[in-house]
Amino acid sequence: LLIGAVVEGEIIGYLSAERGTYRRIRHSAYIVAGIRKEYCHIGIGTKFFTMLDDWARKNKLTRLELTVEIPNKAAIKLYEKSGFIIEGTKKNTMLVNGVYVDEYMMAKLL
């Protein structure tokens, strides 16, 4: 699944979901999403996750998962509002501007 938001011909946000390839994980999908900072807090993310839920149910998925940088409080709030919970922490998973950043592993069961 790939959803995009466009303003005046410019991509300002996206959500992608990749279903598990192998039989044992075909019931799940890994989610990646992003919205440009100046377009946050106006409902785009909520709409993306509503569309994701519809797609997941139509395709008989029962688990959605994602990771998020721990300092990204706005994204964490959106994900929790959308029904995701924190399942664990991944240490030093990203190197951002020369600094290691931890991530939360989050998931939602449908």
Side-chain angles (χ1 to χ4, degrees):
L1 172 70
L2 180 61
I3 305 167
V6 178
V7 172
E8 296 178 5
E10 195 171 327
I11 296 171
I12 56 98
Y14 69 92
L15 181 142
S16 70
E18 185 173 349
R19 185 178 198 152
T21 305
Y22 302 104
R23 181 179 45 87
R24 291 185 178 191
I25 59 170
R26 290 271 311 148
H27 67 284
S28 67
Y30 184 75
I31 313 310
V32 177
I35 299 170
R36 288 182 42 188
K37 195 171 277 189
E38 60 268 29
Y39 291 96
C40 290
H41 309 292
I42 60 172
I44 295 168
T46 300
K47 182 67 175 172
F48 281 168
F49 280 89
T50 299
M51 294 169 74
L52 170 66
D53 283 352
D54 291 344
W55 172 82
R57 286 187 176 92
K58 286 178 188 171
N59 286 279
K60 298 182 175 36
L61 291 157
T62 59
R63 178 181 170 84
L64 303 174
E65 50 192 33
L66 54 83
T67 59
V68 59
E69 294 177 36
I70 291 174
N72 192 344
K73 302 301 181 200
I76 293 167
K77 184 176 178 180
L78 170 64
Y79 303 150
E80 289 177 334
K81 176 181 158 188
S82 300
F84 286 78
I85 61 166
I86 295 170
E87 292 188 328
T89 301
K90 295 172 67 174
K91 304 299 248 170
N92 291 356
T93 56
M94 302 186 78
L95 186 59
V96 179
N97 298 322
V99 177
Y100 286 104
V101 179
D102 298 343
E103 290 182 298
Y104 284 137
M105 297 176 292
M106 299 184 76
K108 174 181 181 173
L109 301 180
L110 299 171

